Amino acid sequence: MDHSFYMKEALREAYKAYLKEEIPVGAVVVRNNEIIARAHNLRETLKDPTAHAEILAIRDASRVLGGWRLIGCSLYVTMEPCIMCLGAIVQSRIENLIIGARDTKSIDCEYKSNFKKEYLNDNISVTFGILEDKSSKILKRFFKKLRKR
Amino acid sequence: MDHSFYMKEALREAYKAYLKEEIPVGAVVVRNNEIIARAHNLRETLKDPTAHAEILAIRDASRVLGGWRLIGCSLYVTMEPCIMCLGAIVQSRIENLIIGARDTKSIDCEYKSNFKKEYLNDNISVTFGILEDKSSKILKRFFKKLRKR
């Protein structure tokens, strides 16, 4: 499987979020080398605190597969998931998680990083650092623009 | 605020889940002593791994308030939240979390309990053990029935 190919598609989603002035995070769900769901962060647009890219992609994939267990699925996400999304990934039985940028900003990131690592390792196969620079760059651009307002 | 009153309403929600053969967990969101949202677990019915009572109640409350920040809100839930729901509670800026039964069954409960405690203490005021017996009894009844199938 070519991780960069799918992460590029997740980045396309992040860019859609950027254009909507949402924190630019994108995600795709892949099964049998096919993208079955894609989403970007829509927290402000939907006025929904759970509308992170990962949650929306997981819900979409469940609709596509007609069941809540995403067996055989991989999730590509441009930024390290928060605790909520991490829990959702485990709840959904996703088997592989592929991450772009590390999370260095959110309310979850500080001492929670050890927990994240343990929880992930216990439940799921994880790959870090796919297109990390690009995933990180769009986030930095977003926060820079935000500070200028 | 009378915690038992609102937990009874969360229990009503749990009972609705029970009748639908869902794991019986219910939740209500309270603001200024008023229930603004209520929900029960619908994971099987909606075929959605994120459709836990807490997530559905939070999403509903956001719709009611017209924004994703549930400032001044309390969440009553009949069972200790999983990691996903815990994350969603923190993301939504809910201020008080009131819990019925302890979680002793889920994939999250084992070594994660320490993390849960820390994460909660850092972010939110938590009350345990409101109508714990009733909240626990309906869960036990559900799992007993399930094993008999």
Side-chain angles (χ1 to χ4, degrees), chain A residues 43-44 46-50 52 55 58-59 62-63 66-70 82-93 106-108 111-112 115-116 118-120 122-123, chain B residues 43-44 46-50 52 55 58-59 62-63 66-70 82-93 106-108 111-112 115-116 118-120 122-123:
Chain A
R43 186 174 65 168
E44 305 293 339
L46 297 180
K47 301 179 195 311
D48 175 354
T50 74
H52 287 191
I55 300 276
I58 286 171
R59 293 177 60 207
S62 302
R63 273 189 293 269
W68 63 263
R69 287 177 192 83
L70 304 187
C82 74
I83 297 290
M84 169 179 73
C85 292
L86 210 62
I89 289 161
V90 171
Q91 289 290 337
S92 72
R93 314 294 195 265
S106 89
I107 51 174
D108 279 342
Y111 76 90
K112 282 115 202 167
F115 168 75
K116 279 189 177 179
E118 273 182 68
Y119 187 50
L120 282 172
D122 274 17
N123 286 292
Chain B
R43 185 174 66 167
E44 305 292 340
L46 297 180
K47 301 179 195 310
D48 175 353
T50 74
H52 287 191
I55 301 276
I58 286 170
R59 294 178 57 209
S62 303
R63 273 189 294 268
W68 63 264
R69 288 177 191 82
L70 305 186
C82 74
I83 297 292
M84 168 180 75
C85 291
L86 212 62
I89 290 161
V90 171
Q91 289 290 337
S92 72
R93 313 295 195 263
S106 89
I107 52 174
D108 280 342
Y111 76 87
K112 283 116 203 168
F115 168 75
K116 278 188 177 180
E118 273 181 68
Y119 186 51
L120 282 172
D122 275 17
N123 287 293

Side-chain angles (χ1 to χ4, degrees), chain B residues 121-139:
Chain B
N121 286 346
D122 275 17
N123 287 293
I124 199 168
S125 147
V126 188
T127 308
F128 271 102
I130 305 297
L131 302 188
E132 184 163 4
D133 275 3
K134 279 188 179 145
S135 299
S136 167
K137 208 173 268 175
I138 190 170
L139 283 159

